[in-house]
Amino acid sequence: MRVVVQRSKQAQVTVDGNVVGSIEHGLVLLVGITHEDTEQDAKFTADKIAGLRIFEDESGKMNHSVLDVGGQILSVSQFTLYGDTRKGKRPNFMAAARPEQAKPLYDRFNELLREQGLKVETGTFGAMMDVSLVNDGPVTLIIESK
């Protein structure tokens, strides 16, 4: 799994002009899944994100996790994270898992985050989505399970 993590003051996803997911303070996750990913990858990634200390404490140091600050998660499926741009001008998406494999694992990943006590909002898997956010910091990281 490959997840782009963005610390956010607020964020939302719209599909066909309708808001399908929104959060106030927390993390926006762009989630990519490849063929080799398993539930172990989803668990590793969910645990890493829930405990990632990227929110500032009273001294201005990154010592708090999204759980510590009562933050929320906006999780958006993003197969393009596995786009290969090494050859030519058009990305090759062969490394991205097919929807029938990716969707159950994406759903499980979100459930694992919820099991840790996080409020998780999502986009709509496979849909064209508009994602808007106010990036906090900005703080942006990439987490990979492999």
Side-chain angles (χ1 to χ4, degrees):
M1 288 182 80
R2 183 176 292 157
V3 181
V4 175
V5 178
Q6 295 179 299
R7 197 173 69 181
S8 170
K9 291 182 180 180
Q10 64 182 29
Q12 72 176 22
V13 177
T14 58
V15 176
D16 296 327
N18 299 310
V19 175
V20 296
S22 66
I23 63 167
E24 291 303 315
H25 179 248
L27 300 174
V28 174
L29 309 178
L30 304 177
V31 182
I33 297 171
T34 190
H35 305 289
E36 297 86 30
D37 288 337
T38 65
E39 184 165 343
Q40 259 188 326
D41 294 285
K43 180 160 180 29
F44 169 86
T45 307
D47 289 346
K48 176 68 79 173
I49 289 166
L52 199 60
R53 298 185 321 171
I54 59 172
F55 291 89
E56 295 169 355
D57 64 14
E58 53 284 339
S59 301
K61 300 231 185 236
M62 288 187 181
N63 275 328
H64 294 305
S65 71
V66 67
L67 286 166
D68 296 333
V69 300
Q72 304 170 339
I73 301 282
L74 179 60
S75 174
V76 180
S77 62
Q78 189 81 53
F79 79 93
T80 60
L81 287 176
Y82 280 101
D84 184 349
T85 59
R86 291 176 291 179
K87 292 183 181 178
K89 303 287 185 189
R90 184 180 313 161
N92 173 330
F93 298 107
M94 297 300 291
R98 304 261 324 136
E100 56 273 8
Q101 177 190 0
K103 186 174 184 327
L105 195 54
Y106 171 71
D107 291 342
R108 181 63 182 140
F109 167 74
N110 293 321
E111 186 57 36
L112 288 163
L113 289 168
R114 287 183 185 106
E115 287 174 6
Q116 296 197 45
L118 289 162
K119 177 186 177 200
V120 179
E121 295 277 318
T122 66
T124 302
F125 188 92
M128 288 296 294
M129 296 175 272
D130 295 327
V131 181
S132 63
L133 75 130
V134 177
N135 200 319
D136 183 12
V139 174
T140 303
L141 301 165
I142 299 173
I143 309 273
E144 294 195 77
S145 62
K146 302 290 184 215

